[in-house]
Amino acid sequence: MPAARLDIKDLSAGYGPTRVLENINFCAEKGARIAVLGRNGVGKTTLLATIAGQTKRYQGTIRLGDADVTQMDSTARALSGLGFVPQSRGIFPSLTVEENLFVGLKGRPRSALKEAYDMFPRLYERRANSGSNLSGGEQQMLSTARAILGRPTVLLLDEPLEGLAPVICEELMQAFSRLASGGEMTILMVEQRIRSALDFAERVIILERGRIVWDGTSDGLASDRDTIDQLLGVTSIGH
Ligand SMILES: Nc1ncnc2c1ncn2[C@@H]1O[C@H](COP(=O)(O)OP(=O)(O)OP(=O)(O)O)[C@@H](O)[C@H]1O
Ligand SMILES: [Mg+2]
């Protein structure tokens, strides 16, 4: 399945009685590369988790391609094409690396595992190790590889670079860019490394206290020092 459009209207959500997201509206076109930025605690993880169907929704709709997934639970959304790499990696600790990858195949043949091992040779070396014996960076690779193996039409990534060495970050970002620009996936990425996020994304959404307060192009943001300072709390985006 090729990339799908993700359309969010008037979305408010949170946890139990705690409202976190208020009136979120945006549409990610097929194959879009979007970075979601903002300070700690503004609701970035909650936004991805809400799209994945893992929080309480108070209001609004979520459409994935032609389907209205608003009433679907997280499993049904995953089957409809949504891939989610959560900030807490979701590795099965008692399964091996390879068994964790099997879970991601979603009916595809075992030979597809080669895609994951080509992307992360380290996972091939560690394929017989149990999930509980992986380093933080290896867990990160496993979680990302597992999501990509399922060929999602929309992929949600929550800080995918956390814990990874710089050389791997670069390769991974290139792989994400290829997947999106090749029309295979629409990608929404939360990332603290602003420079990397802007290099990857064509569009940026900035959250503040659960609301979208800035929505524009990466180039536009890169040249807008005031916004970077006020909304991201940094004076420079690095190199
Ligand atoms: N399970 C939960 N129950 C209640 N409140 C929560 C829960 N998870 C997060 N929150 C609250 O929701 C708000 C947004 O949290 P969220 O994790 O979405 O922020 P974030 O932008 O991803 O932050 P960070 O950059 O630190 O990852 C915070 O005030 C947080 O305390
Ligand atoms: Mg978060």
Side-chain angles (χ1 to χ4, degrees), residues 194-211:
I194 299 171
R195 179 75 266 169
S196 299
L198 293 187
D199 286 347
F200 161 78
E202 64 208 343
R203 176 175 165 199
V204 178
I205 289 170
I206 303 181
L207 295 181
E208 178 97 324
R209 293 188 198 173
R211 296 173 184 273

Side-chain angles (χ1 to χ4, degrees), residues 87 89 136-137 140 158-164 169 191-193:
Q87 204 167 1
R89 301 308 163 199
Q140 178 62 289
D158 200 350
E159 301 198 24
L161 302 184
E162 206 176 12
L164 296 181
C169 288
E191 190 42 64
Q192 301 282 356
R193 302 189 196 191

Side-chain angles (χ1 to χ4, degrees), residues 30 54 66 86 142 154 158 163 177 182 186 191 202 222 227:
K30 289 179 191 177
Q54 299 180 357
D66 294 330
L142 179 53
V154 172
D158 200 350
S177 292
T186 303
E191 190 42 64
E202 64 208 343
T227 297

Side-chain angles (χ1 to χ4, degrees), residues 87-105:
Q87 204 167 1
S88 59
R89 301 308 163 199
I91 302 298
F92 299 109
S94 60
L95 299 185
T96 65
V97 166
E98 190 144 291
E99 287 163 349
N100 266 281
L101 290 173
F102 286 156
V103 174
L105 281 173

Side-chain angles (χ1 to χ4, degrees), residues 40-112:
N40 292 124
V42 295
K44 304 182 298 294
T45 292
T46 306
L47 175 59
L48 297 197
T50 299
I51 296 168
Q54 299 180 357
T55 66
K56 179 159 172 48
R57 185 192 56 89
Y58 308 115
Q59 187 190 309
T61 56
I62 304 172
R63 295 185 66 88
L64 186 67
D66 294 330
D68 185 338
V69 302
T70 314
Q71 305 298 335
M72 291 184 188
D73 67 13
S74 55
T75 307
R77 290 185 198 192
L79 290 171
S80 302
L82 198 69
F84 182 30
V85 180
Q87 204 167 1
S88 59
R89 301 308 163 199
I91 302 298
F92 299 109
S94 60
L95 299 185
T96 65
V97 166
E98 190 144 291
E99 287 163 349
N100 266 281
L101 290 173
F102 286 156
V103 174
L105 281 173
K106 295 193 179 157
R108 297 183 65 207
R110 280 187 177 206
S111 54

